[in-house]
Amino acid sequence: MDAITLELERHRFASIAEEMGVVLMRSAFSPNIKERRDYSCAIFDGAGEMVAQAAHIPVHLGSAPMSVAAALETLPMKPGQHIILNDPYAGGTHLPDITLVSPVFDGAGELAFVVANRAHHADVGGRWPGSMGLSEHIDEEGIRLGPQVFDEDVMEAITSASRTPEERRGDLQAQLAANLRGVARLEAELERRGKDVLDSCRALQAHSERFMREVLREVGEGRWSYEDALDDDGLGSGAIRIHCDLRIEDGRATVDLRGSAPAVRGPLNVPRAVAVSAALYCFRCLAPPELPSNGGYMRCVEVLTEAGTVVDASYPAAVALGNVETSQRIVDVVFGALALALPGRIPAASCGSMNNLTIGGDDPRHGGRPFAYYETIAGGAGAGPGWEGQSAVHTHMTNTLNTPVEALEHAYPIRMVRYARREGSGGAGRYRGGEGVVREMIFEAAATVSVMAERRRFAPYGLEGGAPGVCGATRLVRARTGREDVLEGKVSVEVEAGDRLIIETPGGGGYGTPDDAGGDST
């Protein structure tokens, strides 16, 4: 297939995935999906290999093939049937991320495609509002679903488990609408073009594989290692080692994470699907934008993990934060190894945390109706060879937006009093790291608040002489006493009306020595 046709086919399939995402976003009930756009959509061939994805959430998309594989292996696909799952041990990420898988059949009744979307639900039950607390067992984190047919009984099970059942039902119906749009578009393509559609998929996947092999050959062959650490698991673990041994040989990369720490008591363990997703993301970043994002390039990267470690969780390990925090540190160590392989090409570490905030309680504005709120908060991007790091952005494994102040205050009994760049938080260097943010809010009702964040102890690293970014911090001011407390990086607290929460997120690392810029590091 010639280059122009390949490019047309790439955009044809990607546009279907993007359209699915638009349907999901516009149909959803929760601000987390509608405003923050914490969802992802993709298309797979009949064997479960990715054909195309929308430009959505990296941690979702790299792991989605394992969810699709689990669905295909567990249940026979039937026309008009949809498979739902969120089990982290069956290709899932963490329990709030619910995946819906739908088949597409050709005119002969053969399975031609599978469409899937994954959306983060603001509450799926568990001990803490938002389903993101200091859990020690997967069952504390909410309802867990292995691959099963999506029907009214499953809908009832999910909504009954959640503190916000109406919102869950609306978001699930939005996921269904998104998949139905993808099915309709692909059925139309099959009717119009027949088997040429499938030939195009195979050509795109083969092209992507060749493309990535050439990218890796340009890196050169060798072995490199890098190590970093998570602050702690919130339950007394201390530093948690994340280690990467990288080998590139004959156009293939092997990312060996088996030197990482054993599983921890707290919720920072990640299922293997998330570890694979984080590694794949790094190599997708290494390639030019025109690389088609599909299963072809994924064939070139092998990820090695050991079951029972923090990067390959086994039941019943808690995983709520692994998807959002440990995934970021895996990215940091893979990029750290690549920086040794490609000096002068890789940026310094970014914020390194999704700075997770969940708030739940009863809203007095609506007769005491329960609410559950979840968001990730932006930080600073790492500087690179030739550029300053961007400030106040979501980086790496998260690709969500911020929750607009107007939407937050409309939906919840919360008042935002400050939202600004955190000046001076970016690491110094010839090119300065991006600044984090300050997000300060006052609660207008009693609530349970959980802040689950990293890079409060170990700062985002600089490169080539650049300084690290400034660590994050969380403070709580009590209205009744005026007392201000500095909170741990991972904490759940009860607040009263009038209490004030201040979250300061980390900046990105700097790049290059200040002397390279004539001695001016600012």
Side-chain angles (χ1 to χ4, degrees):
M1 189 175 288
D2 64 87
I4 293 175
T5 305
L6 277 169
E7 190 69 2
L8 289 170
E9 293 292 350
R10 176 168 80 100
H11 287 286
R12 188 194 308 275
F13 287 112
S15 70
I16 296 173
E18 293 284 358
E19 187 177 353
M20 290 170 60
V22 171
V23 171
L24 176 50
M25 178 267 291
R26 291 185 174 176
S27 305
F29 279 35
S30 68
N32 186 57
I33 297 174
K34 183 176 289 293
E35 301 288 353
R36 287 188 58 247
R37 304 189 186 181
D38 197 344
Y39 60 81
S40 298
C41 301
I43 300 169
F44 302 80
D45 62 23
E49 187 170 50
M50 186 181 286
V51 172
Q53 64 180 54
H56 291 158
I57 314 298
V59 76
H60 288 176
L61 293 163
S63 56
M66 294 190 186
S67 287
V68 172
L72 291 173
E73 292 166 4
T74 305
L75 294 164
M77 290 284 182
K78 298 179 181 179
Q81 194 176 71
H82 311 276
I83 308 301
I84 192 168
L85 68 151
N86 72 343
D87 190 346
Y89 312 115
T93 52
H94 59 180
L95 298 184
D97 283 345
I98 296 179
T99 302
L100 192 67
V101 180
S102 304
V104 182
F105 291 89
D106 63 19
E110 296 294 325
L111 182 64
F113 293 102
V114 174
V115 298
N117 72 68
R118 174 174 286 166
H120 185 113
H121 287 253
D123 187 273
V124 292
R127 285 184 58 187
W128 294 270
S131 308
M132 296 279 286
L134 284 175
S135 48
E136 300 180 50
H137 191 290
I138 188 69
D139 292 343
E140 295 181 297
E141 298 180 347
I143 186 171
R144 182 163 63 99
L145 305 166
Q148 56 195 279
V149 175
F150 181 47
D151 56 19
E152 186 57 36
D153 289 341
V154 174
M155 176 80 84
E156 180 62 27
I158 296 171
T159 56
S160 297
S162 175
R163 295 167 176 84
T164 50
E166 293 180 7
E167 190 177 85
R168 297 288 65 72
R169 180 176 290 273
D171 286 348
L172 287 166
Q173 289 173 334
Q175 287 188 257
L176 179 58
N179 272 16
L180 290 174
R181 180 61 59 89
V183 170
R185 290 287 185 256
L186 289 168
E187 285 179 342
E189 287 292 315
L190 286 164
E191 183 177 354
R192 184 170 65 88
R193 301 168 60 202
K195 71 178 186 65
D196 289 347
V197 182
L198 303 179
D199 292 339
S200 297
C201 293
R202 287 188 285 269
L204 275 172
Q205 291 163 336
H207 170 63
S208 183
E209 180 179 9
R210 290 192 302 270
F211 200 138
M212 180 53 76
R213 285 190 183 277
E214 289 305 312
V215 169
L216 294 173
R217 287 189 177 108
E218 288 179 8
V219 176
E221 298 191 351
R223 295 170 180 255
W224 306 271
S225 297
Y226 198 86
E227 185 170 302
D228 202 342
L230 295 157
D231 296 339
D232 60 77
D233 70 347
L235 296 171
S237 71
I240 304 167
R241 182 181 71 259
I242 306 294
H243 182 90
C244 171
D245 290 317
L246 171 63
R247 182 175 76 251
I248 297 179
E249 187 175 47
D250 190 29
R252 290 186 59 83
T254 301
V255 179
D256 189 344
L257 301 173
R258 292 176 295 183
S260 299
V264 293
R265 176 181 161 206
L268 280 170
N269 307 290
V270 297
R272 174 174 161 77
V274 172
V276 171
S277 183
L280 288 172
Y281 162 80
C282 295
F283 289 93
R284 179 60 188 85
C285 290
L286 197 62
E290 56 267 23
L291 169 71
S293 291
N294 61 44
Y297 92 84
M298 298 176 182
R299 301 168 188 167
C300 303
V301 182
E302 181 182 16
V303 181
L304 303 178
T305 60
E306 182 177 348
T309 62
V310 72
V311 296
D312 190 345
S314 302
Y315 179 84
V319 300
L321 301 184
N323 179 59
V324 289
E325 296 300 307
T326 308
S327 66
Q328 296 282 60
R329 199 65 69 254
I330 294 171
V331 168
D332 288 340
V333 299
V334 175
F335 274 144
L338 283 169
L340 299 175
L342 292 168
R345 286 271 306 274
I346 307 298
S350 292
C351 170
S353 175
M354 296 193 197
N355 304 291
N356 306 272
L357 171 64
T358 57
I359 304 169
D362 298 324
D363 191 343
R365 304 173 306 168
H366 300 289
R369 184 178 67 192
F371 73 93
Y373 169 65
Y374 170 70
E375 74 168 344
T376 57
I377 305 174
W387 68 86
E388 307 279 332
Q390 291 192 15
S391 298
V393 292
H394 289 269
T395 57
H396 296 323
M397 298 309 286
T398 174
N399 190 31
T400 56
L401 303 179
N402 72 308
T403 306
V405 171
E406 298 85 353
L408 185 151
E409 293 183 341
H410 173 76
Y412 308 107
I414 300 167
R415 179 160 52 92
M416 194 67 62
V417 295
R418 187 182 180 205
Y419 189 28
R421 290 199 335 176
R422 186 187 178 199
E423 299 294 337
S425 57
R430 180 178 182 182
Y431 302 101
R432 193 174 190 95
E435 313 274 37
V437 304
V438 179
R439 200 145 162 93
E440 182 175 351
M441 63 197 72
I442 293 177
F443 302 101
E444 297 185 333
T448 301
V449 177
S450 296
V451 179
M452 300 288 151
E454 270 288 322
R455 292 297 193 195
R456 268 51 182 174
R457 177 183 174 192
F458 299 117
Y461 59 77
L463 280 180
E464 302 295 330
V470 176
C471 287
T474 307
R475 292 175 285 142
L476 179 64
V477 181
R478 296 291 188 179
R480 186 174 297 181
T481 63
R483 175 179 171 178
E484 179 175 302
D485 293 322
V486 177
L487 303 182
E488 297 293 327
K490 301 170 188 69
V491 64
S492 293
V493 295
E494 300 297 323
V495 299
E496 298 177 352
D499 289 352
R500 182 184 303 246
L501 182 70
I502 305 159
I503 299 176
E504 299 175 321
T505 67
Y511 190 94
T513 61
D515 291 339
D516 291 341
D520 182 5
S521 64
T522 60

